[in-house]
Amino acid sequence: MSIDLQFIYTSFFQILKALPLTLVITIVPLIAGFGIGLATALIRIYRVRWIHRIADFYVSFLRGTPMLMHLFLIYYGIPMIIDKLSERYGWAFQSSSIPILVFVLIAFSLTAGAYMSEIIRSGILAVDIGQMEAAHAVGMSTFQALRRIIIPQAIGAVLPNLCSMFVGFLHGSTLAFTVSQMDILGKADVVASVSLKFLEAFIAAAFIYWGLTIIAERITALLERRVAVYSKGGVS
Amino acid sequence: MGKSFDLSLVLDFIPELLRYLHITLIVLGGSIVLGLVGGVLLAVPRLYRIPVLSQLATLYVSFMRGTPILIKLFLVYYGLPELLKPIGIDLSRTDPLLFVIVTYALSDAASFAEIFRGAVRSVDKGQTEAAYAAGMTTFQSFRRIVVPQALIVAFPNMANTLIGSLKDTSLAFSIGVMDMVGRGQTLISATSHALEVYISLSVVYYVIVIVLEKGFAFAERRLQRHERKRVVHKPAIRAKRLKEVVQKVRF
């Protein structure tokens, strides 16, 4: 077996330059997905008429299909819709002027929203109903109670899940490679193609992802300990 | 892209894609079976704290869970032939299907190892002690008392891993496997109706996942039919259950 260890080292730093894009593709969808997920979770918990069926379908469909499909559906679907509209109303706007990154972010945000919705829903349902009743008893509205009492506790309860979402989406961001984005994997592929040292470049990329995952897990452990401070239970 | 959108094509594409369903199922079945074996082999050293082996298993699980499946696929695809060349095995003409099964098996083994470990830990230690008191050996108590109880805990997580693995198979096309997605790619080259192909693929995956979920929910109820007599209504336990509902996110 002939592995060029030196090349793993040099390519590591070349590939590391693509880290910002990978982080963008990971974090932006998580933030957008949190908003989508919170809205979807509340719609499903309160069974808002008509919309909750759509929300149910959204969550079940996105969780039931590979993330790659979401990426391709958005990547091919949205430009078509834009071009149709543009043709119909005579806009000068063309879908080709939108950077591919935008489609990647939209697709992953929708995916994140579906997974977030389940996580947040489980968190809200885990908060004792008595908390809501107590908030109502002191004169809060349902919205106030949710915002001030329920959601902070729910987030504490689902923190480990949120962090595993981060790791999941960090790994999922590699799919952006299939629509030729220069994330860590895309960069590794370029470095590999230039030098024809595929194995070495992918080993270097693997180490970057592994390192990021370990850092994320450490931060999770720290955060969990902090959250646990407030939920020791008992009276003191 | 190019041609205008035609939703009726979706109905034509679905049967065409379904003809390649068996490849997806072979990948899934092969990797799950090998992954289960690997998972047990990885979990045992950590449960019984066997020195060296236990640390190696921890490192392996950490690496497998710390890297994206697409990277692992490429590592196996480029690495396995290099690894086997010195012992005289030539993989240059092998079906890429083999690489996909190996990758998913290696990856699933890590997931299963964690699931088994957690499940065995969840069985009360008193159960093992009671088994010893009744005169069972370590192996007997493990097999007859601990494993059956642990399996009930592990089952939902195993089902989730299987569904996650099914969705992961959609990446096999990237090393040239002719599964459903691979066939989809050729359909796109032939007809340039990309969106319709991906809608068809999504429908196929969605239906398979729903069928699997229904099947697993049914199996789970059957497995737990002896458990339900115990009354567990404490909020703390309920919250713990809910936490288990949301698993590691897999694509």
Side-chain angles (χ1 to χ4, degrees):
Chain A
M1 189 164 62
S2 54
I3 286 187
D4 186 348
L5 289 175
Q6 180 65 36
F7 188 74
I8 295 179
Y9 182 76
T10 46
S11 62
F12 182 89
F13 290 100
Q14 273 178 287
I15 296 167
L16 202 59
K17 283 183 196 140
L19 180 62
L21 183 63
T22 285
L23 290 181
V24 166
I25 302 176
T26 306
I27 292 167
V28 172
L30 284 179
I31 295 170
F34 186 81
I36 300 173
L38 185 60
T40 315
L42 290 176
I43 288 170
R44 295 180 70 199
I45 287 172
Y46 286 100
R47 309 216 138 265
V48 179
R49 213 180 300 163
W50 304 116
I51 319 175
H52 86 260
R53 288 183 200 287
I54 301 172
D56 284 348
F57 176 74
Y58 161 71
V59 171
S60 123
F61 181 76
L62 287 229
R63 280 169 57 93
T65 47
M67 197 169 166
L68 189 68
M69 293 302 124
H70 314 157
L71 181 60
F72 284 151
L73 285 177
I74 295 290
Y75 179 65
Y76 289 104
I78 290 192
M80 208 192 63
I81 294 169
I82 290 176
D83 286 343
K84 276 266 166 66
L85 287 174
S86 183
E87 201 178 301
R88 182 134 176 224
Y89 297 105
W91 299 338
F93 190 69
Q94 283 288 314
S95 62
S96 51
S97 58
I98 304 172
I100 293 172
L101 182 63
V102 174
F103 299 122
V104 175
L105 293 179
I106 293 174
F108 289 179
S109 299
L110 289 173
T111 315
Y115 284 93
M116 283 281 192
S117 159
E118 283 294 82
I119 291 177
I120 295 170
R121 203 166 71 107
S122 81
I124 291 177
L125 292 178
V127 178
D128 199 276
I129 190 82
Q131 300 274 332
M132 179 61 102
E133 287 163 357
H136 281 160
V138 297
M140 287 191 196
S141 67
T142 301
F143 178 73
Q144 279 176 325
L146 273 174
R147 197 174 64 80
R148 298 193 195 165
I149 311 290
I150 309 290
I151 289 173
Q153 294 187 66
I155 289 175
V158 298
L159 202 64
N161 289 329
L162 288 180
C163 290
S164 86
M165 273 271 301
F166 175 82
V167 172
F169 270 74
L170 176 69
H171 294 179
S173 70
T174 51
L175 299 184
F177 162 75
T178 56
V179 289
S180 58
Q181 287 296 289
M182 268 302 153
D183 69 330
I184 288 176
L185 182 57
K187 185 79 181 166
D189 194 50
V190 170
V191 170
S193 312
V194 171
S195 60
L196 287 178
K197 286 176 178 163
F198 286 92
L199 186 56
E200 287 84 348
F202 290 127
I203 289 174
F207 276 120
I208 297 176
Y209 284 109
W210 192 13
L212 290 171
T213 306
I214 289 173
I215 293 170
E217 279 169 357
R218 287 280 149 81
I219 294 173
T220 313
L222 273 179
L223 283 175
E224 265 179 68
R225 229 172 297 150
R226 267 194 71 87
V227 169
V229 167
Y230 302 104
S231 51
K232 265 190 220 143
V235 280
S236 57
Chain B
M1 176 123 15
K3 292 188 187 163
S4 63
F5 181 69
D6 185 358
L7 199 62
S8 65
L9 277 175
V10 170
L11 290 178
D12 298 341
F13 287 154
I14 287 178
E16 185 56 43
L17 294 170
L18 279 177
R19 282 176 43 209
Y20 291 80
L21 176 65
H22 68 284
I23 304 287
T24 302
L25 295 180
I26 287 171
V27 172
L28 185 66
S31 59
I32 292 290
V33 171
L34 291 174
L36 283 172
V37 176
V40 173
L41 292 179
L42 284 167
V44 168
R46 291 187 76 184
L47 282 169
Y48 288 100
R49 301 221 170 78
I50 301 169
V52 186
L53 278 184
S54 150
Q55 278 85 358
L56 284 177
T58 311
L59 188 74
Y60 175 84
V61 170
S62 162
F63 180 77
M64 282 294 156
R65 289 164 61 95
T67 44
I69 189 80
L70 203 51
I71 291 261
K72 284 180 274 194
L73 196 56
F74 289 148
L75 282 181
V76 170
Y77 183 62
Y78 292 108
L80 198 59
E82 284 287 317
L83 207 63
L84 294 182
K85 216 187 279 169
I87 51 170
I89 301 173
D90 181 25
L91 287 180
S92 55
R93 285 166 181 273
T94 322
D95 193 335
L97 199 62
L98 176 82
F99 297 109
V100 180
I101 294 177
V102 168
T103 310
Y104 291 152
L106 291 174
S107 180
D108 286 342
S111 308
F112 284 133
E114 286 298 278
I115 291 171
F116 293 155
R117 210 164 61 93
V120 168
R121 287 259 170 88
S122 77
V123 178
D124 197 86
K125 192 125 192 277
Q127 299 277 331
T128 310
E129 287 164 356
Y132 287 158
M136 287 191 194
T137 63
T138 308
F139 181 72
Q140 280 177 326
S141 74
F142 188 71
R143 196 178 64 82
R144 297 196 197 162
I145 310 293
V146 178
V147 170
Q149 296 185 67
L151 275 182
I152 293 174
V153 178
F155 187 79
N157 295 336
M158 286 162 65
N160 262 316
T161 302
L162 194 140
I163 289 173
S165 218
L166 169 72
K167 287 190 272 173
D168 282 343
T169 58
S170 63
L171 296 171
F173 85 99
S174 60
I175 58 166
V177 171
M178 240 337 205
D179 68 334
M180 290 192 296
V181 184
R183 175 64 186 136
Q185 301 288 326
T186 59
L187 273 178
I188 292 169
S189 325
T191 64
S192 59
H193 280 285
L195 189 57
E196 291 88 337
V197 167
Y198 290 122
I199 292 175
S200 315
L201 276 172
S202 304
V203 171
V204 173
Y205 274 110
Y206 189 33
V207 171
I208 301 172
V209 169
I210 287 176
V211 169
L212 284 177
E213 272 177 354
K214 288 270 150 72
F216 288 138
F218 177 75
E220 207 183 316
R221 271 200 305 278
R222 273 199 68 83
L223 274 176
Q224 289 179 340
R225 66 192 183 282
H226 304 301
E227 293 277 307
R228 251 179 295 157
K229 285 169 201 152
R230 286 206 332 243
V231 185
V232 269
H233 279 313
K234 286 184 197 154
I237 293 170
R238 211 168 42 190
K240 208 178 130 206
R241 285 253 166 103
L242 278 166
K243 243 183 206 172
E244 283 162 7
V245 169
V246 184
Q247 300 303 328
K248 191 175 181 296
V249 185
R250 300 254 328 244
F251 313 101

